[in-house]
Amino acid sequence: MPRPLAGDYAPFLETYVNACKGDDVFSLLNYSWDSLNAWLGTIPEEKLHYAYAEGKWTLAQLLQHLIDTERVFAYRAMCIARGEQKPLPPFDENAYAERGNAAHRSLSSLKTEMQVMRKSTIALFNAMNPEDIAAEGIASNHRITVNALGFIIAGHVYHHQRIYLERYC
């Protein structure tokens, strides 16, 4: 399956697709496992409740956001691959971050949940056939393909890894 085309996802998601290298969603997600683990291993405990500016998320909230967003996007991919015809609703990432209880979680628990979530995402995509990957549906009021969702899932983490390096370190 080739890289998703611009019309395969909403324009506001292009940053995430562009953060990914390669053309194959399976290779991309499998490779992302090593990259994700390497990055998680660099995060120091003492930075967990640090926010780089007033009103910005703490690192704990950022990690919870990554978990929540991956879960939502993987759910969308599953629904669309299974033939869901109803539009899938948007979600408010800031409301999720506020209610995510990240302030009460340990770095270890956040890392573990992120790793479990990524393994689950990889397993979901590895179980799909080419027709599943090519399937399209509506999410957040925009047309989207399962293939694009795979790129968006990986690219979303890459995007926030860059922000972490630029603003949290």
Side-chain angles (χ1 to χ4, degrees):
M1 196 86 204
R3 286 182 71 83
L5 302 173
D8 291 344
Y9 52 88
F12 62 86
L13 297 168
E14 188 161 357
T15 298
Y16 307 136
V17 174
N18 288 342
C20 299
K21 293 180 177 22
D23 293 331
D24 178 65
V25 71
F26 301 108
S27 297
L28 172 67
L29 288 170
N30 283 297
Y31 170 78
S32 72
W33 173 249
D34 292 332
S35 172
L36 175 66
N37 281 316
W39 175 62
L40 290 174
T42 68
I43 298 172
E45 186 80 41
E46 61 271 10
K47 288 274 193 170
L48 190 59
H49 301 292
Y50 169 77
Y52 64 87
E54 183 150 342
K56 296 299 182 180
W57 291 339
T58 65
L59 187 51
Q61 287 175 306
L62 173 66
L63 291 170
Q64 186 65 62
H65 165 71
L66 292 175
I67 294 163
D68 290 347
T69 302
E70 181 143 343
R71 187 169 275 126
V72 169
F73 287 163
Y75 172 76
R76 289 175 177 176
M78 181 201 66
C79 290
I80 294 167
R82 302 293 190 266
E84 181 61 65
Q85 296 299 304
K86 294 180 186 146
L88 300 167
F91 74 105
D92 182 338
E93 65 186 29
N94 291 308
Y96 278 41
E98 279 211 16
R99 298 200 43 136
N101 297 318
H104 305 291
R105 299 202 46 199
S106 69
L107 179 57
S108 175
S109 75
L110 289 162
K111 286 179 179 181
T112 298
E113 187 176 358
M114 186 67 228
Q115 289 167 325
V116 168
M117 191 64 238
R118 179 53 56 94
K119 277 291 193 187
S120 177
T121 299
I122 291 168
L124 173 67
F125 275 80
N126 283 341
M128 291 184 187
N129 63 40
E131 292 78 27
D132 296 333
I133 296 297
E136 61 183 67
I138 302 293
S140 296
N141 303 312
H142 293 276
R143 178 184 170 275
I144 196 159
T145 66
V146 173
N147 186 47
L149 281 161
F151 277 78
I152 291 161
I153 287 167
H156 181 252
V157 172
Y158 293 145
H159 168 76
H160 283 291
Q161 285 173 334
R162 184 183 50 77
I163 290 173
Y164 168 78
L165 292 171
E166 291 173 0
R167 300 180 186 162
Y168 287 87
C169 290

